[in-house]
Amino acid sequence: MIGSLRGTLVERAGDGELLIEVAGVGYRVTVTPTTVVEAGEPGDEVFLYIHHHRREDVETLYGFLSREERVCFEALIGAHGVGPALGLAILAVHSPSALHRVLADDDLAALCLVPGIGKKTAARLLVELKSRLDVPGLEAAATASSDAGPGG
């Protein structure tokens, strides 16, 4: 399984793909629009954390500039109904730290900003992602609400 790539950026496409040459082999890596821009110019050295996604009919490499972004992506695609395309769409709108804030604040409207996510899906994702991602302050909020007892 491929965990990272360090090589020369050969080509970047506006459709969210980078071609990275490592030791003479070109790897096509799917990334967010932000990563396409931040990866640099063709000829630059680039390092990406990789999620190697396998299905019966295809293998795809997804690339991220930070380990935190890859971990967040892997948590997202582990959620019911979230595939790699939607996981990348979420990360294209919300950075990992912004997504943590969205979850901590129960910000349904912020999740609905992602193309393909409606209110019902956003509500389900808020609940499911809180258990998948380490959201700072969730334990404190849960403790405070249980300390308040019934009726607040």
Side-chain angles (χ1 to χ4, degrees):
M1 177 122 359
I2 298 171
S4 68
L5 289 175
R6 180 183 309 276
T8 303
L9 179 61
V10 175
E11 180 180 288
R12 60 182 187 178
D15 63 350
E17 188 174 277
L18 301 176
L19 179 61
I20 301 172
E21 185 175 310
V22 179
V25 177
Y27 292 91
R28 292 172 51 190
V29 183
T30 303
V31 297
T32 64
T34 303
T35 301
V36 168
V37 173
E38 292 180 2
E41 297 297 323
D44 290 350
E45 182 176 300
V46 64
F47 177 86
L48 294 175
Y49 291 92
I50 299 294
H51 172 80
H52 187 172
H53 194 76
R54 293 179 173 193
R55 292 191 331 221
E56 288 179 14
D57 57 338
V58 69
E59 291 188 35
T60 307
L61 301 178
Y62 294 93
F64 307 95
L65 293 172
S66 72
R67 183 180 178 282
E68 180 185 24
E69 194 175 21
R70 181 184 66 189
V71 167
C72 192
F73 174 78
E74 290 171 343
L76 286 167
I77 65 172
H80 177 73
V82 179
L86 186 55
L88 280 182
I90 292 169
L91 288 173
V93 174
H94 300 293
S95 68
S97 60
L99 185 58
H100 280 80
R101 276 193 309 278
V102 165
L103 297 174
D105 296 344
D106 287 324
D107 192 347
L108 194 69
L111 272 181
C112 289
L113 293 174
V114 178
I117 296 185
K119 286 186 179 184
K120 288 171 98 174
T121 302
R124 181 180 49 77
L125 285 176
L126 278 175
V127 172
E128 191 168 350
L129 291 176
K130 283 181 183 182
S131 67
R132 292 187 171 279
L133 292 170
D134 182 25
V135 179
L138 274 184
E139 295 80 18
T143 303
S145 65
S146 65
D147 289 347

PDB file of all heavy atoms in Angstrom, residues 57-73:
ATOM      1  N   ASP A  57     -12.659  -2.797  -9.528  1.00  0.00           N
ATOM      2  CA  ASP A  57     -12.328  -2.439 -10.897  1.00  0.00           C
ATOM      3  C   ASP A  57     -11.283  -1.339 -11.047  1.00  0.00           C
ATOM      4  O   ASP A  57     -10.839  -1.056 -12.161  1.00  0.00           O
ATOM      5  CB  ASP A  57     -13.596  -2.020 -11.639  1.00  0.00           C
ATOM      6  CG  ASP A  57     -14.323  -0.870 -10.958  1.00  0.00           C
ATOM      7  OD1 ASP A  57     -14.116  -0.667  -9.747  1.00  0.00           O
ATOM      8  OD2 ASP A  57     -15.097  -0.176 -11.633  1.00  0.00           O
ATOM      9  N   VAL A  58     -10.866  -0.707  -9.948  1.00  0.00           N
ATOM     10  CA  VAL A  58      -9.952   0.428 -10.087  1.00  0.00           C
ATOM     11  C   VAL A  58      -9.166   0.654  -8.787  1.00  0.00           C
ATOM     12  O   VAL A  58      -9.644   0.348  -7.695  1.00  0.00           O
ATOM     13  CB  VAL A  58     -10.728   1.714 -10.482  1.00  0.00           C
ATOM     14  CG1 VAL A  58     -11.605   2.191  -9.351  1.00  0.00           C
ATOM     15  CG2 VAL A  58      -9.801   2.808 -10.937  1.00  0.00           C
ATOM     16  N   GLU A  59      -7.959   1.169  -8.960  1.00  0.00           N
ATOM     17  CA  GLU A  59      -7.163   1.624  -7.823  1.00  0.00           C
ATOM     18  C   GLU A  59      -6.901   3.109  -8.046  1.00  0.00           C
ATOM     19  O   GLU A  59      -6.504   3.519  -9.136  1.00  0.00           O
ATOM     20  CB  GLU A  59      -5.835   0.877  -7.743  1.00  0.00           C
ATOM     21  CG  GLU A  59      -5.993  -0.575  -7.371  1.00  0.00           C
ATOM     22  CD  GLU A  59      -4.671  -1.259  -7.094  1.00  0.00           C
ATOM     23  OE1 GLU A  59      -3.764  -0.603  -6.551  1.00  0.00           O
ATOM     24  OE2 GLU A  59      -4.558  -2.440  -7.430  1.00  0.00           O
ATOM     25  N   THR A  60      -7.129   3.911  -7.023  1.00  0.00           N
ATOM     26  CA  THR A  60      -6.956   5.353  -7.134  1.00  0.00           C
ATOM     27  C   THR A  60      -6.096   5.839  -5.983  1.00  0.00           C
ATOM     28  O   THR A  60      -6.260   5.400  -4.844  1.00  0.00           O
ATOM     29  CB  THR A  60      -8.320   6.076  -7.101  1.00  0.00           C
ATOM     30  OG1 THR A  60      -9.167   5.505  -8.091  1.00  0.00           O
ATOM     31  CG2 THR A  60      -8.163   7.559  -7.357  1.00  0.00           C
ATOM     32  N   LEU A  61      -5.186   6.764  -6.294  1.00  0.00           N
ATOM     33  CA  LEU A  61      -4.378   7.405  -5.266  1.00  0.00           C
ATOM     34  C   LEU A  61      -4.971   8.780  -4.985  1.00  0.00           C
ATOM     35  O   LEU A  61      -5.201   9.562  -5.912  1.00  0.00           O
ATOM     36  CB  LEU A  61      -2.925   7.557  -5.730  1.00  0.00           C
ATOM     37  CG  LEU A  61      -2.191   6.272  -6.089  1.00  0.00           C
ATOM     38  CD1 LEU A  61      -0.783   6.602  -6.574  1.00  0.00           C
ATOM     39  CD2 LEU A  61      -2.146   5.319  -4.911  1.00  0.00           C
ATOM     40  N   TYR A  62      -5.236   9.068  -3.715  1.00  0.00           N
ATOM     41  CA  TYR A  62      -5.708  10.381  -3.281  1.00  0.00           C
ATOM     42  C   TYR A  62      -4.583  11.018  -2.496  1.00  0.00           C
ATOM     43  O   TYR A  62      -4.020  10.399  -1.596  1.00  0.00           O
ATOM     44  CB  TYR A  62      -6.975  10.254  -2.425  1.00  0.00           C
ATOM     45  CG  TYR A  62      -8.143   9.720  -3.217  1.00  0.00           C
ATOM     46  CD1 TYR A  62      -8.427   8.365  -3.251  1.00  0.00           C
ATOM     47  CD2 TYR A  62      -8.938  10.578  -3.967  1.00  0.00           C
ATOM     48  CE1 TYR A  62      -9.485   7.871  -4.004  1.00  0.00           C
ATOM     49  CE2 TYR A  62      -9.994  10.104  -4.724  1.00  0.00           C
ATOM     50  CZ  TYR A  62     -10.262   8.749  -4.734  1.00  0.00           C
ATOM     51  OH  TYR A  62     -11.297   8.269  -5.499  1.00  0.00           O
ATOM     52  N   GLY A  63      -4.241  12.270  -2.838  1.00  0.00           N
ATOM     53  CA  GLY A  63      -3.094  12.922  -2.234  1.00  0.00           C
ATOM     54  C   GLY A  63      -3.468  14.114  -1.373  1.00  0.00           C
ATOM     55  O   GLY A  63      -4.412  14.841  -1.685  1.00  0.00           O
ATOM     56  N   PHE A  64      -2.686  14.316  -0.312  1.00  0.00           N
ATOM     57  CA  PHE A  64      -2.947  15.380   0.651  1.00  0.00           C
ATOM     58  C   PHE A  64      -1.627  16.014   1.086  1.00  0.00           C
ATOM     59  O   PHE A  64      -0.624  15.328   1.251  1.00  0.00           O
ATOM     60  CB  PHE A  64      -3.678  14.808   1.874  1.00  0.00           C
ATOM     61  CG  PHE A  64      -4.911  14.046   1.475  1.00  0.00           C
ATOM     62  CD1 PHE A  64      -4.860  12.680   1.302  1.00  0.00           C
ATOM     63  CD2 PHE A  64      -6.093  14.706   1.209  1.00  0.00           C
ATOM     64  CE1 PHE A  64      -5.975  11.967   0.887  1.00  0.00           C
ATOM     65  CE2 PHE A  64      -7.215  14.013   0.792  1.00  0.00           C
ATOM     66  CZ  PHE A  64      -7.159  12.635   0.630  1.00  0.00           C
ATOM     67  N   LEU A  65      -1.664  17.319   1.297  1.00  0.00           N
ATOM     68  CA  LEU A  65      -0.460  18.042   1.695  1.00  0.00           C
ATOM     69  C   LEU A  65      -0.096  17.818   3.156  1.00  0.00           C
ATOM     70  O   LEU A  65       1.054  18.000   3.534  1.00  0.00           O
ATOM     71  CB  LEU A  65      -0.633  19.540   1.423  1.00  0.00           C
ATOM     72  CG  LEU A  65      -0.717  19.906  -0.061  1.00  0.00           C
ATOM     73  CD1 LEU A  65      -1.093  21.375  -0.235  1.00  0.00           C
ATOM     74  CD2 LEU A  65       0.595  19.599  -0.761  1.00  0.00           C
ATOM     75  N   SER A  66      -1.071  17.432   3.983  1.00  0.00           N
ATOM     76  CA  SER A  66      -0.786  17.199   5.402  1.00  0.00           C
ATOM     77  C   SER A  66      -1.333  15.848   5.837  1.00  0.00           C
ATOM     78  O   SER A  66      -2.296  15.329   5.264  1.00  0.00           O
ATOM     79  CB  SER A  66      -1.400  18.299   6.277  1.00  0.00           C
ATOM     80  OG  SER A  66      -2.812  18.165   6.325  1.00  0.00           O
ATOM     81  N   ARG A  67      -0.704  15.291   6.850  1.00  0.00           N
ATOM     82  CA  ARG A  67      -1.165  14.024   7.416  1.00  0.00           C
ATOM     83  C   ARG A  67      -2.568  14.192   7.994  1.00  0.00           C
ATOM     84  O   ARG A  67      -3.415  13.324   7.853  1.00  0.00           O
ATOM     85  CB  ARG A  67      -0.192  13.563   8.498  1.00  0.00           C
ATOM     86  CG  ARG A  67      -0.542  12.227   9.082  1.00  0.00           C
ATOM     87  CD  ARG A  67       0.471  11.804  10.165  1.00  0.00           C
ATOM     88  NE  ARG A  67       0.102  10.551  10.744  1.00  0.00           N
ATOM     89  CZ  ARG A  67      -0.850  10.393  11.655  1.00  0.00           C
ATOM     90  NH1 ARG A  67      -1.545  11.427  12.075  1.00  0.00           N
ATOM     91  NH2 ARG A  67      -1.135   9.202  12.137  1.00  0.00           N
ATOM     92  N   GLU A  68      -2.822  15.340   8.618  1.00  0.00           N
ATOM     93  CA  GLU A  68      -4.126  15.608   9.220  1.00  0.00           C
ATOM     94  C   GLU A  68      -5.242  15.557   8.172  1.00  0.00           C
ATOM     95  O   GLU A  68      -6.320  15.022   8.415  1.00  0.00           O
ATOM     96  CB  GLU A  68      -4.114  16.979   9.909  1.00  0.00           C
ATOM     97  CG  GLU A  68      -5.429  17.338  10.549  1.00  0.00           C
ATOM     98  CD  GLU A  68      -5.444  18.745  11.125  1.00  0.00           C
ATOM     99  OE1 GLU A  68      -4.659  19.595  10.675  1.00  0.00           O
ATOM    100  OE2 GLU A  68      -6.276  18.984  12.012  1.00  0.00           O
ATOM    101  N   GLU A  69      -4.953  16.087   6.994  1.00  0.00           N
ATOM    102  CA  GLU A  69      -5.947  16.082   5.918  1.00  0.00           C
ATOM    103  C   GLU A  69      -6.236  14.646   5.459  1.00  0.00           C
ATOM    104  O   GLU A  69      -7.380  14.277   5.217  1.00  0.00           O
ATOM    105  CB  GLU A  69      -5.445  16.935   4.754  1.00  0.00           C
ATOM    106  CG  GLU A  69      -6.513  17.275   3.744  1.00  0.00           C
ATOM    107  CD  GLU A  69      -6.013  18.219   2.661  1.00  0.00           C
ATOM    108  OE1 GLU A  69      -4.786  18.314   2.430  1.00  0.00           O
ATOM    109  OE2 GLU A  69      -6.866  18.856   2.035  1.00  0.00           O
ATOM    110  N   ARG A  70      -5.198  13.819   5.366  1.00  0.00           N
ATOM    111  CA  ARG A  70      -5.405  12.416   4.986  1.00  0.00           C
ATOM    112  C   ARG A  70      -6.213  11.675   6.038  1.00  0.00           C
ATOM    113  O   ARG A  70      -7.140  10.929   5.717  1.00  0.00           O
ATOM    114  CB  ARG A  70      -4.075  11.697   4.754  1.00  0.00           C
ATOM    115  CG  ARG A  70      -4.307  10.225   4.328  1.00  0.00           C
ATOM    116  CD  ARG A  70      -3.034   9.447   4.171  1.00  0.00           C
ATOM    117  NE  ARG A  70      -2.369   9.297   5.453  1.00  0.00           N
ATOM    118  CZ  ARG A  70      -1.155   8.803   5.610  1.00  0.00           C
ATOM    119  NH1 ARG A  70      -0.446   8.423   4.556  1.00  0.00           N
ATOM    120  NH2 ARG A  70      -0.620   8.703   6.799  1.00  0.00           N
ATOM    121  N   VAL A  71      -5.895  11.878   7.306  1.00  0.00           N
ATOM    122  CA  VAL A  71      -6.629  11.225   8.391  1.00  0.00           C
ATOM    123  C   VAL A  71      -8.105  11.640   8.357  1.00  0.00           C
ATOM    124  O   VAL A  71      -9.004  10.806   8.510  1.00  0.00           O
ATOM    125  CB  VAL A  71      -5.982  11.558   9.764  1.00  0.00           C
ATOM    126  CG1 VAL A  71      -6.875  11.163  10.915  1.00  0.00           C
ATOM    127  CG2 VAL A  71      -4.625  10.879   9.871  1.00  0.00           C
ATOM    128  N   CYS A  72      -8.338  12.914   8.123  1.00  0.00           N
ATOM    129  CA  CYS A  72      -9.702  13.434   8.042  1.00  0.00           C
ATOM    130  C   CYS A  72     -10.440  12.786   6.862  1.00  0.00           C
ATOM    131  O   CYS A  72     -11.593  12.359   6.988  1.00  0.00           O
ATOM    132  CB  CYS A  72      -9.660  14.948   7.895  1.00  0.00           C
ATOM    133  SG  CYS A  72     -11.234  15.754   8.122  1.00  0.00           S
ATOM    134  N   PHE A  73      -9.795  12.696   5.708  1.00  0.00           N
ATOM    135  CA  PHE A  73     -10.380  12.068   4.526  1.00  0.00           C
ATOM    136  C   PHE A  73     -10.753  10.618   4.817  1.00  0.00           C
ATOM    137  O   PHE A  73     -11.843  10.152   4.472  1.00  0.00           O
ATOM    138  CB  PHE A  73      -9.389  12.142   3.360  1.00  0.00           C
ATOM    139  CG  PHE A  73      -9.828  11.409   2.119  1.00  0.00           C
ATOM    140  CD1 PHE A  73     -10.769  11.967   1.265  1.00  0.00           C
ATOM    141  CD2 PHE A  73      -9.286  10.169   1.800  1.00  0.00           C
ATOM    142  CE1 PHE A  73     -11.171  11.303   0.115  1.00  0.00           C
ATOM    143  CE2 PHE A  73      -9.672   9.501   0.649  1.00  0.00           C
ATOM    144  CZ  PHE A  73     -10.622  10.071  -0.196  1.00  0.00           C
TER     145      PHE A  73
END
